[in-house]
Amino acid sequence: MNKIKTALANSELSIMELLWKKGSQTARQIREQLYPDTDHAQHGTVQRLLQRLEEKGFVKRDNGQTVLTFWPLVSRNEYAGAQLESLANRLTDGALTPLITHFVEERKISKDDIQQLRQLLDNLDDSRE
C-alpha cells in the first residue's frame, strides 16, 4: 500500500470518486459531472483540484494525448485503509478492535460482511501454520 499521509478534502474526494468509478477522465469530463448545470465557470476550480491531487500523489496526468487525461494512482481500498488506520491511531491508540466491536455491536456489519471477515481470518490462520 502507498503510504498515504493526508486526508482528502470533500471536493478532492468527489473527483477521486469519479476516477475510481469511471477510470481515466479529462478535466472537462470531471467538470461536466461535478457541475452539470454550469459551463466553463468551474473549469479553473477543477484544474486546481486536479493539480492538488497530483501534488499529493493521488492522480497522474497523461500528457501524451491531445487532451489531458487523469487517472487515479491510489485505489479506493488503499485510501479507505489509510483513513481507517489514521482514525484508529487518533481515537484508540492504534487498536482496531474497538472500531470493529462498535460496528458489530451496532449491527453495522451485515451477515455477508461477517462471513467475509471469518473467511479472511481463517485464511490468515491457515497461512501462519
Side-chain angles (χ1 to χ4, degrees), residues 3-4 12 27 32 35 38 65 68 74-76 79 81 89 101 104 119:
K3 266 302 187 191
I4 299 167
E12 295 169 332
E32 289 172 350
Y35 307 103
T38 61
Q65 300 183 20
L68 287 177
V74 174
S75 74
R76 180 190 311 258
Y79 182 69
N89 286 334
T101 301
V104 170
Q119 186 174 3

Side-chain angles (χ1 to χ4, degrees), residues 106-120:
E106 296 297 319
R107 301 201 187 284
K108 303 282 185 187
I109 296 181
S110 70
K111 288 182 180 184
D112 288 340
D113 291 337
I114 292 169
Q115 183 61 35
Q116 288 179 12
L117 286 170
R118 279 192 180 121
Q119 186 174 3
L120 180 66

Side-chain angles (χ1 to χ4, degrees), residues 16 19-20 23-25 57-60 70-75:
M16 291 304 298
L19 294 174
W20 287 327
S24 66
Q25 298 274 293
F58 281 86
V59 301
K60 181 153 179 72
F70 298 84
W71 71 89
L73 291 176
V74 174
S75 74

